[in-house]
Amino acid sequence: MARRGRTRQVTTALAMLVVALGATGTLADAQSVLPRFAEDGPARALRQVREQRGPGTELRYVQPGQNRTVCGYIGRAGQRAAVAFVSRPSRILFSDDPLTVEFREARERYCPDLLQAPTGTG
């Protein structure tokens, strides 16, 4: 009987150890993912812009869009040219990308009020 009680104690201790290690692993994984979801829109857009276009790129104009989307314009420090962007949590699109139709559809869907340059003179 004493042996059966000892086996039960060891089994319980091992089960608790497995649960604790699992919880620790899950917490560590969540901490590496959560900061990206905790970013506000402009901070996320700046991170995405700098990952795609380099550290010398700056946000020039930012406005909120639909469903956690942020839209606006970026440029390089010291240059006048600006490029429109649509930043979603998992992706960023630029107006000068080869995917012009996808960018236009995203802009119309998520940021229909984004300020745009005139297309022509009357």
Side-chain angles (χ1 to χ4, degrees):
M1 286 291 190
R3 187 170 189 194
R4 189 176 284 175
R6 179 80 175 140
T7 303
R8 197 173 284 160
Q9 287 176 343
V10 170
T11 303
T12 302
L14 287 173
M16 290 174 60
L17 180 63
V18 167
V19 169
L21 288 174
T24 302
T26 301
L27 181 62
D29 185 45
Q31 297 227 344
S32 69
V33 172
L34 287 178
R36 289 193 169 192
F37 289 108
E39 287 178 313
D40 67 344
R44 180 191 69 232
L46 182 60
R47 177 182 52 78
Q48 290 172 328
V49 163
R50 290 194 171 156
E51 285 173 358
Q52 296 291 319
R53 300 290 174 109
T57 311
E58 61 189 14
L59 295 177
R60 299 228 174 124
Y61 175 78
V62 179
Q63 75 179 40
Q66 312 271 333
N67 301 334
R68 298 186 61 211
T69 301
V70 177
C71 303
Y73 289 90
I74 62 164
R76 289 200 131 321
Q79 297 178 0
R80 290 187 61 184
V83 175
F85 71 88
V86 175
S87 168
R88 296 181 294 186
S90 60
R91 187 169 188 202
I92 188 165
L93 296 168
F94 298 99
S95 61
D96 64 353
D97 283 343
L99 303 170
T100 56
V101 173
E102 187 177 357
F103 171 79
R104 185 176 67 244
E105 289 172 354
R107 187 192 67 227
E108 291 170 358
R109 179 177 179 189
Y110 296 108
C111 300
D113 300 333
L114 180 65
L115 299 174
Q116 298 179 47
T119 56
T121 55

